[in-house]
Amino acid sequence: MQVVPDFSVSPSQALLAGPDVRLDQLDPASKPGFDGGKQAGQARLAAGREALSGLQEKLFAESRFGSEISVLLILQAMDTAGKGGIVRHVVGAVDPQGVHHHAFKSPTAAEKRHHFLWRIRKELPGPGMIGVFDRSHYEDVLIARVRKLAAPPVIEERYEEIREFEAGLVSSGTHVIKVMLHLSKEEQKKRLSKRLERKDKHWKYSPGDLEERALWDEYQRAYQTAIERTSSPDAPWFVVPADRKWYARIAVQQLLIDVLTGMQLSWPKATFDVAAEKARLAAS
Amino acid sequence: MQVVPDFSVSPSQALLAGPDVRLDQLDPASKPGFDGGKQAGQARLAAGREALSGLQEKLFAESRFGSEISVLLILQAMDTAGKGGIVRHVVGAVDPQGVHHHAFKSPTAAEKRHHFLWRIRKELPGPGMIGVFDRSHYEDVLIARVRKLAAPPVIEERYEEIREFEAGLVSSGTHVIKVMLHLSKEEQKKRLSKRLERKDKHWKYSPGDLEERALWDEYQRAYQTAIERTSSPDAPWFVVPADRKWYARIAVQQLLIDVLTGMQLSWPKATFDVAAEKARLAAS
């Protein structure tokens, strides 16, 4: 039997970012809690796929018997940080029946006429589901702040609104995991360069990416503030170093596994008389 | 290099069910077009996962550059026929970003007040997406017919409405694949029995399953009629023998691969000046 490399410290502890977070002191190339290298990481990812898939099935099964709990994974990051890879390689291990994925783009005209949380509420995961947000309501305090899409007092108010919104989610049974993929500016340059080199990657590139890149420091400050103001014990932020894709993937995978494990899920007990049903089936 | 077992006749041809289909003459334990056994099938499934995943990425990429095409896979079957397994093992190979899965349950009170296609339209795949319907508007001519949930003339009208609805979908760029997983009554008995034997499967069983099973022949006739009336060259039905799970999976996988291959997808060409962007990036 092969031994699967494991974390020495769980990402749930090692990557937890509280109100005292200092983003500029966290190394995007580090791999907190994991001693192995890329190969060990890939073995970890493969083993974690099975674990995650099994846990999700129980979450789903319980919901069929009245449980209302669900999970919401929020992914935020600068371009090329690897949100898409997390979705493909981590979330992709889960039965598509049990996943509700939504990518939030720039708000439409109709969405802009509503409160910024309106479009978010419509995409929340139902009971038994794992919701995955590729970008989220945090854009309304990130790009909105950097690009001055709303007045400063409005932005200030939003942190409080987000805290209340998420507290409401948590109290109604949704476990919220907020992930910032923490990329270095140098690594982004390499990844954008790759997109320009490869014809099968051109579709992922937009000249606007460089305008966002030019505002790198402003974005880091906006992330710093967002995490300070909205990290809470019930809806915590995790800053996941993302310069090594393999590390970011196993870290987010483990965050999901830890949350699901903490739910102490079990197979629902039969609400029918098993022996009687066996007899009915035999006669059918 | 290992040779991956392939179909001798594509399921797109071998399983096509036109208006002259005779369900009772199709063997649920057969494996049309595939000469190998279970092991060969598993190798086929693994190879097909990569192919499908690659094709889907191109479909998705094209949609980011204005293409409006999409795919809709409709899965219909008796209980235990393996819809869930198809979703997990075939659709599960695709990036969750590119899949819109929806399981249609008994209509809610609100849904019942609307036209039967109302709730269906809300779940159609957007551009670049692969939509997967676990049950669909066909329930409105299947269970509705067998259980007499609507008057016969209403049901009669629905076939025509479905044809027009699907023709509209096709003309607006959605490729429709309709699959009936064709299970034998004996095999269903085995599978239900397994659900009763295993505690981790109890949640999938409901005493109501036996009431549906008692109406087996009526359902077969309803399927027969539905396929007769709604199979068209543009929105074809495929009857997929489902007594062997592995065969049903590779068959549906191949149906998807064939449709996507037929679209002649390609990586979108850059709409920007690649050399100029490289220079901008280098200076950033």
Side-chain angles (χ1 to χ4, degrees):
Chain A
M1 215 183 87
Q2 217 165 341
V3 178
V4 177
D6 207 349
F7 285 90
S8 54
V9 183
S10 169
S12 302
Q13 281 134 47
L15 306 181
L16 184 64
D20 58 346
V21 67
R22 286 288 307 270
L23 262 189
D24 56 3
Q25 292 181 7
L26 297 174
D27 179 3
S30 63
K31 45 186 183 70
F34 195 78
D35 303 324
K38 185 170 180 174
Q39 222 173 1
Q42 282 163 342
R44 177 69 252 153
L45 187 69
R49 288 172 66 92
E50 301 228 358
L52 185 57
S53 170
L55 286 161
Q56 177 275 333
E57 195 179 353
K58 279 188 186 167
L59 177 70
F60 189 80
E62 284 200 349
S63 75
R64 291 295 165 276
F65 283 72
S67 157
E68 294 192 330
I69 56 178
S70 60
V71 173
L72 176 60
L73 173 67
I74 295 175
L75 297 172
Q76 286 287 159
M78 299 298 286
D79 277 337
T80 76
K83 289 191 275 78
I86 300 277
V87 171
R88 182 182 278 267
H89 297 282
V90 178
V91 180
V94 170
D95 190 339
Q97 283 189 78
V99 173
H100 180 76
H101 170 275
H102 192 81
F104 289 94
K105 308 292 180 190
S106 300
T108 62
E111 286 170 348
K112 279 184 194 157
R113 282 194 297 274
H114 286 85
H115 188 273
F116 76 101
L117 293 171
W118 178 75
R119 64 176 189 155
I120 307 295
R121 291 183 208 275
K122 292 200 299 181
E123 301 294 343
L124 291 170
M129 298 291 285
I130 299 179
V132 180
F133 284 178
D134 177 342
R135 306 186 188 273
S136 67
H137 43 294
Y138 283 98
E139 293 297 322
D140 296 281
V141 293
L142 292 168
I143 190 169
R145 188 182 175 105
V146 172
R147 294 278 188 183
K148 302 184 174 49
L149 306 178
V154 172
I155 305 267
E156 279 307 311
E157 222 170 287
R158 285 181 183 169
Y159 298 113
E160 177 62 21
E161 290 176 295
I162 288 175
R163 276 198 303 272
E164 284 175 9
F165 169 63
E166 292 179 353
L169 287 184
V170 170
S171 72
S172 63
T174 301
H175 294 248
V176 179
I177 309 168
K178 300 183 288 194
V179 165
M180 180 214 178
L181 297 177
H182 187 38
L183 189 72
S184 70
K185 198 174 175 187
E186 299 66 45
E187 179 64 21
Q188 190 195 48
K189 193 173 200 166
K190 281 187 206 153
R191 294 187 187 177
L192 285 172
S193 172
K194 206 168 180 182
R195 290 187 180 177
L196 285 168
E197 289 301 335
R198 287 175 52 176
K199 284 197 172 141
D200 62 338
K201 299 282 181 197
H202 282 168
W203 69 277
K204 292 188 173 186
Y205 182 89
S206 149
D209 295 348
L210 293 188
E211 272 106 72
E212 293 294 289
R213 176 171 167 78
L215 298 166
W216 190 273
D217 294 342
E218 288 86 337
Y219 271 107
Q220 296 300 308
R221 281 196 294 273
Y223 271 105
Q224 167 76 33
T225 307
I227 296 170
E228 279 172 11
R229 307 278 177 92
T230 64
S231 200
S232 73
D234 282 344
W237 271 103
F238 299 94
V239 175
V240 176
D243 276 11
R244 306 182 203 228
K245 287 181 183 174
W246 64 264
Y247 176 78
R249 290 171 191 169
I250 60 173
V252 175
Q253 184 186 63
Q254 192 62 44
L255 291 172
L256 283 168
I257 289 174
D258 284 356
V259 160
L260 287 160
T261 303
M263 291 175 175
Q264 302 191 281
L265 302 162
S266 57
W267 296 115
K269 288 220 171 61
T271 51
F272 47 83
D273 179 337
V274 177
E277 291 302 316
K278 282 185 188 172
R280 280 181 75 209
L281 175 61
S284 75
Chain B
M1 212 183 89
Q2 216 164 339
V3 177
V4 177
D6 207 347
F7 285 90
S8 54
V9 183
S10 170
S12 302
Q13 282 134 45
L15 306 181
L16 184 64
D20 57 346
V21 67
R22 286 289 307 270
L23 264 189
D24 57 2
Q25 292 181 7
L26 297 173
D27 179 4
S30 62
K31 47 187 183 69
F34 196 77
D35 302 324
K38 185 170 180 173
Q39 221 174 3
Q42 281 163 343
R44 176 70 252 155
L45 188 69
R49 288 173 65 92
E50 301 228 359
L52 184 57
S53 170
L55 286 161
Q56 177 276 333
E57 195 180 352
K58 279 188 185 168
L59 177 70
F60 189 79
E62 284 201 347
S63 76
R64 291 296 166 275
F65 284 72
S67 158
E68 295 192 329
I69 56 177
S70 60
V71 173
L72 175 60
L73 173 66
I74 295 175
L75 297 172
Q76 286 288 159
M78 299 298 285
D79 276 337
T80 77
K83 288 191 278 75
I86 299 277
V87 171
R88 183 182 276 267
H89 298 282
V90 178
V91 179
V94 170
D95 190 339
Q97 284 188 76
V99 173
H100 180 76
H101 171 275
H102 192 80
F104 290 94
K105 309 291 179 189
S106 300
T108 62
E111 286 170 349
K112 279 184 194 158
R113 282 195 297 274
H114 287 84
H115 188 272
F116 75 100
L117 293 171
W118 177 75
R119 64 177 189 155
I120 307 295
R121 291 183 207 275
K122 292 201 299 180
E123 300 295 342
L124 291 170
M129 298 292 284
I130 298 179
V132 180
F133 284 177
D134 177 341
R135 306 185 188 274
S136 66
H137 43 294
Y138 283 98
E139 292 298 321
D140 296 282
V141 293
L142 292 168
I143 190 170
R145 188 182 176 104
V146 171
R147 294 278 188 183
K148 302 185 173 49
L149 306 178
V154 173
I155 306 266
E156 279 306 311
E157 221 171 287
R158 285 180 182 168
Y159 298 114
E160 177 63 19
E161 290 176 295
I162 288 174
R163 277 198 302 273
E164 283 175 9
F165 168 65
E166 292 178 352
L169 286 184
V170 171
S171 72
S172 62
T174 301
H175 293 248
V176 178
I177 309 170
K178 301 183 287 193
V179 165
M180 180 214 178
L181 297 177
H182 186 39
L183 189 72
S184 69
K185 198 175 176 188
E186 298 66 43
E187 179 65 20
Q188 190 195 47
K189 193 172 200 167
K190 282 186 205 155
R191 295 187 187 176
L192 285 171
S193 171
K194 206 167 179 182
R195 289 188 181 177
L196 285 169
E197 289 301 334
R198 288 175 50 176
K199 284 197 172 140
D200 62 338
K201 299 282 181 198
H202 281 168
W203 69 278
K204 292 188 174 186
Y205 181 89
S206 150
D209 295 349
L210 293 189
E211 272 105 73
E212 293 294 289
R213 177 171 166 79
L215 298 167
W216 190 273
D217 294 342
E218 288 86 336
Y219 271 107
Q220 296 301 307
R221 281 195 293 272
Y223 271 105
Q224 167 77 33
T225 306
I227 296 171
E228 280 172 10
R229 306 278 176 94
T230 64
S231 200
S232 73
D234 282 344
W237 270 105
F238 299 94
V239 174
V240 176
D243 276 11
R244 306 181 203 228
K245 287 181 184 176
W246 64 265
Y247 175 78
R249 290 171 191 170
I250 58 172
V252 176
Q253 184 187 63
Q254 192 62 44
L255 290 173
L256 283 168
I257 289 174
D258 283 356
V259 159
L260 287 160
T261 304
M263 291 175 175
Q264 302 190 284
L265 302 162
S266 57
W267 296 115
K269 287 222 172 60
T271 50
F272 46 81
D273 179 337
V274 177
E277 291 302 315
K278 282 185 186 173
R280 281 180 75 208
L281 175 61
S284 76

